[in-house]
């Protein structure tokens, strides 16, 4: 499994290359040499650490065996222990091999390790739930290690970026980051067929072992690269509980490693085509740069936060003070305010921020919040302000989720990964709650699958149980994800059945429309007796529909059924020539027999059928005598044609009744995609699950996937124009990513509006 990094040539790197200056690109040979050395250090440490890990795991299994509740459970655990012992060397080889392979992928710029998506793929099964548990376990381990070693890991990212040609390196693309070790373990454990509970035990044991491994490896690799001249002057100033992205500086010039913004003016939006995690990381990097531009000095930040300038000798508020103030704001009884749907009053985020400032001022005389801490407070505030203005979310869900502001602000200070990592459990949970609220809760007070109560329970538990341990967030994420997965599966099955049924109905509608058009095209502008109109527009139209639906429009059966229409219309017309009368007589019996056979095929009422056949026969005989039957009265004809049109599903409103505005809206609606949500008068939300372009009908389902209506394009257009319906602007992007984009755009607009030389403070 182990793979070595190979350069494009066999030449050794020169001394100058090995000690390249900070901004001088390294030669390929120097990069390969450095990566081989780093790979060797990682392999050496990880091999020893993995052997120790297997010993500790063996001891943990022994404890589990001794505490087993039954002989069967003990026997199963003994078999697992035996498997681990038999495969020690193979597991070690695979683990170290996967880890070394990460350095090879890094050299090729192919390394982008993801923790794994919640709900990847289209299938929903028990396997998915096991995979979800494994993903969350790995995410928690990696997050803890990332937080614990923020300084050396950030330094590694910077130094590996030099080896990467200057391109940005994150934990996902850093071959020595915690996630690489966790993913290598995940892959190695696939060698054995393990029960989910055993996997969870294996990850719990590894959680403790990884800390020591990361410490040794990150220190050794940083030391080696520093000695080799790769960013030798990086200096880390201790962060105050938030992400340390701005804390590494070069000693020689003191320039921050963040993106710099000189003077006024905005910044370009990061490339949306980047991988999701990298794109969100770039967005956050740009937002922090804009915050630095808009709040250029610590004193300005202090003024903004404390309501005045920081006097000489003023005291900066410590991280512990911040968390203490936040703890005071998270009132234990706050969950009591969360009543039934429609009764919850949204939390005033700006008021909470003001109270936070007041709390800090009261605890620390002349206290001021550090600039970077203030930026974190502002960023969380802007995140929840976006949520309260997101039209994709029902008002009841906005109100409910607004109470997570203070707990999530605490998380932002406690855990650096909250803003830095797209797969952070708190971010994934917030995304999941927002998506579930938009999907299954309506503004009209209805909620499918009791989703409002479920989201309320999650919010209640966070308010009551969350203090400084983010483990509760991970547990709630796992619980909520399992709950929604089962719902999604049920909803998709119901929606699929509804769509299949609608497609069948629409196919029948199309058939009836075609039949009605065929009959109308032959009867228009012709005066016909009542019996003929009744025959063509009712029973024979049903037979034509049967023939078309069963055999198709290219079939002999369909052709003969239409020929009978033409023959009946020809036969009931008075004839003058002897030849025409002779032909009428010749086809009479066959025509009547064919009509009777058709009636029998569709199960038409025998008594009504006999009366119609007798009436048609009498009309044909009258025509043979060159006599014309009395045409149907206009009211009767209109009634028969209207009944036939309604039965066929023809639009009641003709095109000429459609105004230019309505016609334009109908055309616009043809461009919408399946899955588009509409909100109707009263707050009811329905989704377009299927659209028939030929008949211009839209199938609308509710939040359970149950069919509610089949609307014509014109009817839907008129409701939109009158304001009774509107499209809810949805997005496939997760809530957090949409929020970051919105925050970036607002800050960027503010930055662009600043005149050169002006200073501004984020409000």
């Amino acid at each position: 499994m182990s793979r070595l990094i190979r350069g494009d040539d066999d030449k050794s790197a020169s001394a100058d290359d090995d000690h390249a200056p900070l901004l001088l690109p390294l030669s390929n040979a120097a990069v390969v040499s450095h990566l081989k050395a780093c790979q060797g250090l990682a392999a050496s440490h990880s091999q020893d650490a993995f052997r120790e890990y297997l010993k500790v795991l063996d001891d943990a299994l022994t404890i589990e065996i001794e505490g087993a509740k039954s002989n069967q459970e003990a026997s199963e655990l003994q078999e697992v222990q035996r498997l681990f012992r038999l495969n020690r060397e193979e597991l070690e080889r695979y683990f170290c091999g996967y880890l070394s392979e990460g350095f090879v992928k890094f050299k090729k710029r192919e390394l982008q390790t993801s923790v794994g998506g919640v709900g990847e793929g289209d299938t929903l099964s028990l396997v998915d739930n096991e995979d979800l548990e494994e993903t969350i376990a790995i995410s928690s381990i990696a997050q803890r290690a990332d937080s614990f070693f923020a300084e050396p890991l950030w330094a590694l990212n910077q130094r590996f970026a030099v080896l990467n040609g200057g391109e940005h390196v994150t934990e996902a693309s850093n071959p020595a980051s915690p996630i690489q070790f966790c993913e290598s373990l995940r892959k190695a454990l696939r060698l054995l067929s393990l029960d989910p509970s055993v996997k969870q035990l294996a990850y719990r044991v590894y959680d403790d072992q990884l800390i020591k491994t990361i410490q040794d490896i990150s220190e050794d690799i940083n030391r080696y690269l520093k000695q080799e001249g790769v960013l030798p002057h990086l200096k880390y100033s201790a962060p105050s509980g938030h992400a340390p992205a701005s804390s590494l500086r070069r000693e020689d010039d003191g320039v921050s490693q963040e993106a710099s913004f000189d003077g006024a003016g905005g910044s370009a939006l990061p490339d949306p085509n980047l991988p999701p995690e990298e794109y969100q990381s770039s967005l956050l990097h740009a937002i922090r740069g804009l915050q630095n531009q808009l709040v250029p000095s610590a004193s300005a930040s202090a003024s903004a936060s404390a309501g005045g300038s920081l006097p000489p000798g003023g005291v900066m508020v410590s991280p512990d003070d911040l968390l203490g103030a936040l703890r005071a704001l998270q009132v234990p009884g706050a969950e009591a305010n969360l009543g039934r749907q429609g009764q919850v009053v949204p939390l005033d985020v700006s008021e909470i921020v003001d109270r936070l400032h007041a709390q800090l001022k009261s605890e620390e005389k002349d206290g001021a919040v550090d600039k970077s801490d203030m930026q974190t407070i502002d960023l969380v505030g802007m995140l929840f302000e976006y949520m309260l203005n997101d039209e994709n979310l029902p008002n009841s869900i906005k109100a409910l989720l607004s109470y997570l502001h203070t707990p999530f602000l605490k998380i932002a200070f406690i855990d650096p990964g909250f803003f830095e990592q797209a797969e952070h459990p708190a971010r994934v949970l917030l995304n999941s709650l927002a998506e579930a609220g938009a999907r299954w809760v309506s503004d009209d007070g209805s909620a499918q699958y009791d989703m409002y109560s479920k989201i309320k329970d999650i919010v209640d538990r966070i308010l009551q149980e969350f203090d400084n341990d983010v483990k509760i967030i991970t547990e709630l994420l796992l619980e909520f994800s399992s709950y929604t997965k089962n719902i999604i599966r049920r909803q998709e099955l119901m929606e699929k059945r509804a769509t299949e049924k609608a497609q069948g109905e629409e196919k029948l509608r199309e058939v009836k429309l075609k039949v009605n058009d065929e009959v109308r095209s032959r009867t228009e502008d012709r005066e016909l007796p009542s019996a003929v109109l009744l025959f063509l527009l009712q029973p024979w139209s049903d037979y034509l529909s049967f023939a078309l639906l069963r055999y198709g429009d290219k079939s002999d059966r369909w052709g003969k059924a239409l020929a009978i229409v033409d023959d009946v219309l020809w036969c009931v017309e008075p004839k003058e020539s002897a030849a025409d009368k002779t032909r009428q007589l010749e086809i009479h019996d066959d025509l009547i027999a064919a009509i009777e056979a058709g009636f029998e095929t569709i199960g038409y009422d025998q008594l009504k059928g006999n009366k119609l056949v007798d009436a048609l026969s009498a009309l044909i005989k009258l025509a043979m005598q060159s006599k014309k039957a009395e045409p149907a009265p206009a009211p009767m004809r209109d009634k028969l044609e209207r009944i036939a049109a309604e039965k066929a599903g023809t639009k009641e409103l003709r095109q000429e009744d459609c105004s230019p505005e309505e016609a334009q809206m109908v055309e616009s609606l043809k461009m919408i995609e399946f899955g588009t949500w509409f909100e109707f008068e009263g707050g009811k939300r329905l989704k377009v699950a299927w659209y028939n372009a030929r008949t211009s009908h839209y199938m609308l389902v509710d939040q359970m996937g149950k069919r509610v209506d089949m609307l014509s394009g014109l009817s839907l257009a008129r409701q939109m124009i009158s304001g009774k319906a509107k499209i809810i602007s949805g997005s496939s992007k997760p809530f957090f990513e949409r929020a970051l984009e919105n925050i970036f755009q607002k800050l960027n607009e503010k930055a662009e509006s600043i005149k050169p030389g002006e200073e501004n403070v984020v409000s």
Side-chain angles (χ1 to χ4, degrees):
M1 280 296 297
S2 182
R3 296 172 62 181
L4 296 176
I5 301 165
R6 301 187 181 278
D8 296 333
D9 53 61
D10 296 327
K11 297 179 181 179
S12 299
S14 67
D16 289 339
D17 285 333
D18 290 343
H19 297 276
L22 174 66
L23 300 178
L24 180 63
L26 297 175
S27 69
N28 183 69
V31 170
V32 170
S33 176
H34 293 329
L35 285 177
K36 280 184 178 179
C38 295
Q39 185 186 48
L41 289 170
S44 174
H45 282 296
S46 60
Q47 187 176 46
D48 294 339
F50 194 76
R51 289 173 182 170
E52 180 63 24
Y53 161 69
L54 290 178
K55 290 179 183 178
V56 177
L57 179 59
D58 189 84
D59 293 340
L61 284 168
T62 299
I63 294 172
E64 290 291 319
I65 292 169
E66 292 173 353
K69 297 179 180 178
S70 65
N71 291 334
Q72 181 181 352
E73 183 181 346
S75 177
E76 290 173 352
L77 287 170
Q78 286 171 348
E79 176 61 22
V80 170
Q81 190 178 52
R82 188 183 70 83
L83 280 175
F84 271 106
R85 290 173 177 176
L86 285 175
N87 293 277
R88 280 178 182 271
E89 293 182 1
E90 194 75 354
L91 286 167
E92 179 187 317
R93 187 169 70 86
Y94 269 74
F95 175 81
C96 295
Y98 284 125
L99 194 63
S100 295
E101 190 176 30
F103 285 84
V104 179
K105 289 183 176 179
F106 176 82
K107 175 63 175 67
K108 296 178 178 178
R109 300 187 181 180
E110 296 175 356
L111 184 63
Q112 193 62 231
T113 304
S114 172
V115 177
V118 178
E120 289 180 355
D122 296 327
T123 58
L124 295 169
S125 64
L126 182 60
V127 177
D128 284 333
N129 288 329
E130 293 176 6
D131 188 54
L132 176 64
E133 292 179 15
E134 192 174 12
T135 294
I136 291 177
I138 287 176
S139 175
S140 298
I141 296 171
Q143 294 289 348
R144 195 164 81 91
D146 284 339
S147 302
F148 206 82
F149 296 107
E151 175 182 351
L153 289 174
W154 212 94
L156 272 185
N157 286 348
Q158 304 308 301
R159 291 184 167 119
F160 275 123
V162 175
L163 303 185
N164 199 35
E167 291 189 14
H168 184 57
V169 172
T170 64
E171 280 73 9
S173 55
N174 181 341
S177 68
I179 186 57
Q180 311 301 341
F181 289 84
C182 293
E183 189 63 20
S184 296
L185 177 63
R186 185 213 288 258
K187 291 178 179 177
L189 290 179
R190 289 175 183 168
L191 289 171
L192 308 179
S193 179
L194 300 176
D195 184 82
S197 61
V198 175
K199 281 188 179 181
Q200 291 300 313
L201 174 63
Y203 288 127
R204 285 200 302 273
V205 172
Y206 194 66
D207 192 0
D208 295 328
Q209 296 294 310
L210 182 63
I211 298 297
K212 180 70 167 61
T213 307
I214 292 296
Q215 181 178 6
D216 294 341
I217 290 177
S218 60
E219 286 179 356
D220 280 4
I221 294 179
N222 268 318
R223 187 182 302 114
Y224 164 78
L225 291 174
K226 182 177 180 179
Q227 290 171 353
E228 295 300 313
V230 180
L231 299 182
H233 301 298
L234 280 177
K235 184 180 179 181
Y236 187 83
S237 56
S240 53
H242 55 283
S246 62
S247 300
L248 280 167
R249 294 178 173 83
R250 293 174 54 197
E251 286 180 340
D252 53 352
D253 59 11
V255 178
S256 170
Q257 294 297 311
E258 286 185 7
S260 62
F261 295 77
D262 296 327
S267 174
L269 180 72
D271 183 4
N273 296 318
L274 290 170
E277 186 165 352
E278 188 175 342
Y279 173 58
Q280 292 185 44
S281 177
S282 299
L283 271 174
L284 179 64
H285 191 67
I287 287 170
R288 292 196 186 279
L290 286 166
Q291 285 183 306
N292 284 334
Q293 178 186 355
L294 292 166
V295 188
S297 65
S299 61
S301 177
S303 176
S305 62
S309 60
L310 180 64
V315 181
M316 295 302 295
V317 175
S318 70
D320 289 340
D321 291 333
L322 276 171
L323 291 175
L326 288 171
R327 193 176 296 111
L329 288 177
Q330 190 177 330
V331 183
E335 63 275 6
N337 296 326
L338 306 182
R340 290 180 298 174
Q341 185 174 354
Q343 296 179 347
V344 181
V345 178
L347 196 67
D348 189 333
V349 174
S350 60
E351 181 190 356
I352 290 294
V353 174
D354 291 341
R355 285 172 58 195
L356 174 59
H357 296 329
Q359 181 79 14
L360 293 172
K361 286 181 66 179
S362 67
E363 293 180 0
E364 198 75 57
K365 186 178 179 181
D366 295 329
V369 184
D370 180 77
K371 175 183 174 182
S372 55
D373 289 336
M374 189 62 220
Q375 288 178 350
T376 299
I377 294 172
D378 286 342
L379 191 50
V380 174
M382 287 186 282
L383 173 71
F384 278 83
E385 288 290 352
Y386 167 77
M387 182 198 72
L388 289 170
N389 292 311
D390 185 4
E391 67 170 11
N392 192 45
L393 290 175
N395 291 331
S396 57
I397 294 299
K398 294 178 188 179
L400 204 53
L401 296 184
S402 67
Y403 285 83
L404 293 178
H405 169 268
T406 303
F408 274 65
L409 182 53
K410 287 174 65 178
I411 292 172
F413 281 108
I414 293 168
D415 192 342
F418 175 67
F419 274 119
E420 299 296 330
Q421 297 177 348
E423 294 295 335
H424 190 282
R427 284 177 62 164
V428 177
L429 178 60
L430 190 58
N431 286 338
S432 301
L433 293 172
E435 181 182 352
R439 195 167 186 173
W440 291 301
V441 180
S442 295
D443 268 343
D444 66 349
S446 63
Q448 307 298 340
Y449 306 106
D450 202 26
M451 184 54 68
Y452 180 85
S453 296
K454 186 65 178 178
I455 295 175
K456 178 181 175 294
D457 289 343
I458 297 289
V459 176
D460 279 344
R461 287 191 60 187
I462 292 175
L463 292 175
Q464 294 181 55
E465 301 175 29
F466 174 67
D467 187 15
N468 290 338
D469 187 0
V470 295
K471 184 180 179 182
I472 181 64
I473 303 296
T474 304
E475 293 174 357
L476 292 173
L477 171 61
L478 177 59
E479 176 187 322
F480 190 69
S481 297
S482 299
Y483 181 76
T484 54
K485 269 198 163 196
N486 292 329
I487 290 177
I488 290 170
R489 184 180 183 184
R490 289 162 58 190
Q491 179 183 342
E492 287 178 344
L493 288 173
M494 185 176 290
E495 192 172 308
K496 182 180 179 182
R497 293 191 188 107
T499 300
E500 289 172 349
K501 182 179 179 182
Q503 288 172 338
E505 292 173 354
E506 283 297 291
K507 186 175 181 181
L508 180 60
R509 185 198 301 271
E510 291 175 38
V511 164
K512 289 182 175 180
L513 283 172
K514 182 175 177 62
V515 167
N516 193 61
D517 288 343
E518 291 285 354
V519 172
R520 290 288 294 270
S521 68
R522 287 165 168 79
T523 59
E524 276 184 333
D525 302 324
R526 297 179 69 165
E527 292 186 344
L528 296 171
S530 301
V532 174
L533 287 171
L534 182 62
F535 164 72
L536 293 177
L537 294 174
Q538 292 192 3
W540 203 249
S541 285
D542 291 343
Y543 179 74
L544 285 168
S545 297
F546 164 79
L548 182 57
L549 193 62
R550 176 68 65 87
Y551 303 104
D553 59 359
K554 305 297 182 185
S555 65
D556 182 60
R557 183 73 67 96
W558 167 251
K560 287 181 177 179
L562 280 178
I564 288 175
V565 175
D566 295 330
D567 287 345
V568 168
L569 292 175
W570 184 81
C571 286
V572 297
E573 290 293 329
K575 302 296 181 282
E576 299 295 335
S577 67
D580 286 344
K581 292 179 181 181
T582 301
R583 182 169 177 268
Q584 277 180 315
L585 187 61
E586 289 175 350
I587 68 174
H588 175 272
D589 291 344
D590 290 340
L591 183 60
I592 295 300
I595 291 172
E596 289 175 340
F599 285 172
E600 185 176 349
T601 299
I602 62 173
Y604 189 60
D605 183 270
Q606 188 174 6
L607 183 60
K608 292 181 179 178
N610 290 337
K611 287 183 178 180
L612 263 181
V613 167
D614 291 342
L616 290 175
S617 179
L619 288 171
I620 294 173
K621 290 175 181 177
L622 187 64
M624 290 180 187
Q625 301 172 18
S626 302
K627 295 180 180 178
K628 186 176 180 62
E630 189 72 23
M636 178 181 287
R637 177 165 185 155
D638 290 342
K639 181 179 178 180
L640 288 172
E641 289 180 344
R642 187 179 68 255
I643 292 172
E646 290 174 355
K647 187 177 179 181
T650 306
K651 298 175 188 175
E652 296 179 8
L653 298 167
R654 300 286 184 180
Q655 190 64 35
E656 56 265 23
D657 297 327
C658 181
S659 70
E661 184 183 10
E662 291 168 346
Q664 184 178 358
M665 181 64 76
V666 168
E667 289 302 313
S668 298
L669 286 172
K670 291 179 181 178
M671 305 301 292
I672 66 172
E673 300 177 354
F674 292 171
T676 299
W677 284 93
F678 283 80
E679 186 170 279
F680 290 86
E681 198 171 27
K684 188 71 174 177
R685 292 189 173 196
L686 300 175
K687 181 178 74 173
V688 175
W690 183 67
Y691 165 65
N692 189 340
R694 292 182 292 274
T695 62
S696 188
H697 277 77
Y698 297 80
M699 187 185 82
L700 300 174
V701 299
D702 63 15
Q703 292 151 319
M704 295 181 69
K706 183 180 178 181
R707 174 177 165 178
V708 174
D709 207 346
M710 180 71 77
L711 288 180
S712 69
L714 184 56
S715 176
L716 188 55
R718 286 184 167 170
Q719 291 199 52
M720 292 188 68
I721 292 171
S722 66
K724 295 179 179 179
K726 67 175 181 178
I727 293 177
I728 302 173
S729 56
S731 173
S732 59
K733 295 181 178 180
F735 165 80
F736 213 97
E737 183 174 326
R738 299 198 314 270
L740 289 178
E741 287 179 337
N742 179 270
I743 292 168
F744 170 83
Q745 289 169 359
K746 286 191 173 181
L747 292 180
N748 204 39
E749 289 172 1
K750 185 171 288 188
E752 289 175 344
S753 68
I754 300 174
K755 297 177 182 178
E758 263 188 353
E759 286 189 356
N760 192 28
V761 177
V762 177
S763 56

